[in-house]
Structures are given as C-alpha cells and as structure tokens.
Amino acid sequence: MNHFSKQAPVQIVLVEEGSNFSSTVGGWAKNKHFAHLDIGIIASHICLAATDEGLGSCMLGWCDEGKVRKTLEIPKNKRVILVILLGYTTQPIHEKKRKMINEIVSFDKY
Ligand SMILES: Cc1cc2nc3c(=O)[nH]c(=O)nc-3n(C[C@H](O)[C@H](O)[C@H](O)COP(=O)(O)O)c2cc1C
C-alpha cells in the first residue's frame, strides 16, 4: 500500500458480500459482476461525500488483501475490493489533467 496510507486517520474497507438472487442470476446470464459495479458506486459516493465535508480521499485497489483480512478478521471467503483513505489533505489539490469530453463520450455510434 502507498506510504501515505499510514498517515490517513480513517481507512474504509469495502468488502464484497454475497449477492441477492436477481443480481446473481442477472450477472450469470449477462456475464457481468454486478457486485463490483455496486462497490464502485458506493466508493464514488463516499469520496464525493468526503469532498463535500472538506476531506481528502484516495481509493486503493492494490492492497495486501490477506493482511487486511487478518487484521479486521474478515472471513476468508469474502473479498476485500477497495480501501478508501480519508483525511485532511496537507498539500494543495493539484490541477487535474482530464481527457476532453469528446474523447470519452460518443453519440449515435461508438
Ligand atoms: C478503483 C481505483 C483503485 C485505485 N487503486 C489505487 C492503488 O491501489 N494505488 C494507487 O496508488 N492508486 C490507486 N488508484 C488511484 C488513486 O486513487 C487516485 O485516483 C489517483 O491517484 C488519481 O487521483 P487524482 O484524480 O486526485 O489526481 C485507484 C483509483 C481507483 C479509481
């Protein structure tokens, strides 16, 4: 995990739980893993809410899942999908370099 993760006072660990019937069947039929979409939605809401509260946040998918699981006594059959760090940022937020909207959105055809 990144060195700054040790400085973050709050770390939220997002754990994948078993899906309900419709999500399981729908995911199987459409070959899509809806649980990961759900976790992505939750993660973005957490980060947006944190920003609204004046906090900084950072999503980390690259973590030592075994260690996190052991530390928090998460059962072995559960996946740790994301860790979200929260805290007050010590550095000014740098200007984001983002793609132009026409690079990521298309109309009528791909
Ligand atoms: C789902 C997801 C997982 C991420 N996992 C990691 C990670 O494990 N390690 C890391 O250094 N950055 C990771 N990042 C990137 C950072 O969270 C962050 O988005 C990136 O540093 C860009 O931040 P900025 O948009 O504020 O500049 C991940 C981002 C996302 C969206």
Side-chain angles (χ1 to χ4, degrees), residues 1-16 36 39-40 42-44 46-47 50 56-72 74 79-87:
M1 222 185 257
N2 303 60
H3 67 282
F4 55 80
S5 63
K6 294 195 182 92
Q7 299 163 353
V10 175
Q11 302 195 5
I12 299 175
V13 176
L14 302 187
V15 179
E16 180 180 349
H36 288 179
I39 287 173
I42 290 164
S44 62
I46 289 172
C47 292
S57 63
C58 184
M59 293 187 200
L60 296 176
W62 187 300
C63 68
D64 187 332
E65 192 176 348
K67 264 192 192 165
V68 174
R69 206 184 278 126
K70 198 171 168 204
T71 306
L72 301 178
I74 298 165
R79 292 295 316 271
V80 173
I81 306 298
L82 264 186
V83 176
I84 302 179
L85 309 179
L86 296 180

